Amino acid sequence: NTFHECIKNGFMPLFNNLRGYLQGSKEKTEQALKLQIDPAFVSSVYKKFTDLEMAIQQKVSSSEVPKVELPFEKEIIEVCRKAKERGDIPKLEDVPADLLNNKDWINTLSENLNLWSHKITSLENFGNDNIISSIKGEISYWISMYENLQDVTNQLKHPEVQLTLEILKSKKRYQGLTNLDVQFNLPEKLKTIDRVSKIMRNLPYNHMMLSSDHNEMAQEFPTLFAAIRNLAEIQQYPLTRIKNFLEVL
């Protein structure tokens, strides 16, 4: 846990801030190159730390799905803040011309888009290979996965995302024709995970575990096996996972 906190709250913010600083201006980039600090290398290290943090999180708890926070450049945040104060929607014209003409800054926006994709894909794959250690953990995993994917979907609707994409489109660095949540197939995935989480919520597991009456427990078996049948009908819930689920049960 301590190592995980060091990565999450120490190294990741450090490299993220350094990455933003190096992309701040042409002069800073040139200065960094003189010191043999490659901005591309810094971005690569930050991405590796992102992977490491998620891998450690997965080891810490297979049921606690990590919350994903999409990074935005501070200039984008500021433009959106001012637009909100005016009661307006941020537009390309609100972004200072010197930023729009700054190739390094545009590269940073493009890197952020790649990082969004990487973070969302990592979240979707989180826990796929985990062995189920407890029924309670499995229930918690699916409920948590739904809540986190829903949160990511909401983040993708933020004006900071839309403005970033608009800028990249103007520079022909992004050609997407649909919303990002559709591109990542999040609506379909949310629909499937919602089905699984609802089945998990309705499992009579706690009632059966707390009951001391065998007849009372037996009455819950039809509900339990109906839930397992429903899980088997969901393609995204693999048969190997159902087998593991039954073994733990």
Side-chain angles (χ1 to χ4, degrees):
N1 281 329
T2 302
F3 183 57
H4 178 233
E5 289 300 318
C6 287
I7 296 293
K8 183 179 179 181
N9 299 318
F11 288 108
M12 286 180 66
L14 173 66
F15 276 90
N16 189 38
N17 289 336
L18 180 59
R19 186 174 67 103
Y21 174 82
L22 295 178
Q23 301 289 5
S25 67
K26 185 178 179 181
E27 291 76 16
K28 290 176 182 176
T29 303
E30 289 175 351
Q31 183 183 8
L33 291 173
K34 286 179 183 178
L35 295 172
Q36 296 184 330
I37 302 174
D38 184 0
F41 173 74
V42 173
S43 294
S44 175
V45 171
Y46 176 70
K47 188 176 179 181
K48 294 293 184 183
F49 272 123
T50 300
D51 290 342
L52 179 60
E53 190 273 328
M54 189 160 284
I56 295 172
Q57 172 69 40
Q58 187 160 344
K59 291 295 183 183
V60 170
S61 173
S62 60
S63 62
E64 293 180 12
V65 181
K67 183 178 174 64
V68 167
E69 293 183 4
L70 304 181
F72 305 118
E73 290 307 299
K74 60 181 182 297
E75 297 86 356
I76 295 288
I77 294 172
E78 182 63 15
V79 168
C80 291
R81 184 188 67 78
K82 289 180 178 178
K84 185 178 180 180
E85 287 179 352
R86 299 193 306 268
D88 198 5
I89 296 172
K91 301 180 290 295
L92 189 63
E93 296 75 26
D94 298 330
V95 183
D98 61 325
L99 286 176
L100 293 176
N101 294 323
N102 186 330
K103 185 179 177 181
D104 291 328
W105 191 69
I106 298 299
N107 285 340
T108 302
L109 296 186
S110 185
E111 285 176 10
N112 280 349
L113 177 58
N114 291 334
L115 192 57
W116 299 346
S117 175
H118 183 72
K119 280 175 170 280
I120 293 170
T121 301
S122 296
L123 173 62
E124 291 170 342
N125 294 331
F126 184 87
N128 282 352
D129 300 325
N130 279 2
I131 295 174
I132 300 171
S133 57
S134 71
I135 299 300
K136 184 179 178 181
E138 181 71 348
I139 294 170
S140 177
Y141 166 79
W142 287 100
I143 293 173
S144 183
M145 177 62 79
Y146 178 82
E147 290 172 350
N148 280 278
L149 280 179
Q150 184 64 65
D151 182 62
V152 168
T153 301
N154 293 336
Q155 288 185 61
L156 290 174
K157 296 174 183 176
H158 286 180
E160 289 85 355
V161 171
Q162 305 311 317
L163 183 58
T164 299
L165 296 181
E166 191 176 348
I167 294 168
L168 292 175
K169 281 181 181 178
S170 73
K171 299 298 179 180
K172 301 192 185 318
R173 302 287 292 273
Y174 174 71
Q175 306 296 330
L177 299 176
T178 58
N179 293 334
L180 281 180
D181 63 331
V182 176
Q183 287 187 45
F184 290 121
N185 199 27
L186 290 179
E188 272 306 309
K189 288 172 181 173
L190 275 170
K191 185 177 177 182
T192 299
I193 293 173
D194 186 38
R195 281 184 65 195
V196 175
S197 62
K198 282 178 179 174
I199 292 171
M200 292 292 175
R201 279 191 180 97
N202 293 327
L203 282 173
Y205 173 71
N206 285 334
H207 184 68
M208 292 176 72
M209 290 296 290
L210 294 172
S211 177
S212 58
D213 187 324
H214 291 292
N215 291 329
E216 197 173 297
M217 286 179 65
Q219 290 175 8
E220 298 291 355
F221 274 106
T223 305
L224 180 64
F225 285 107
I228 293 169
R229 279 198 304 273
N230 290 334
L231 284 176
E233 292 172 359
I234 300 174
Q235 276 189 330
Q236 287 78 3
Y237 199 94
L239 286 175
T240 52
R241 199 172 187 112
I242 291 177
K243 181 176 178 289
N244 188 196
F245 182 86
L246 288 170
E247 288 171 348
V248 174
L249 187 65

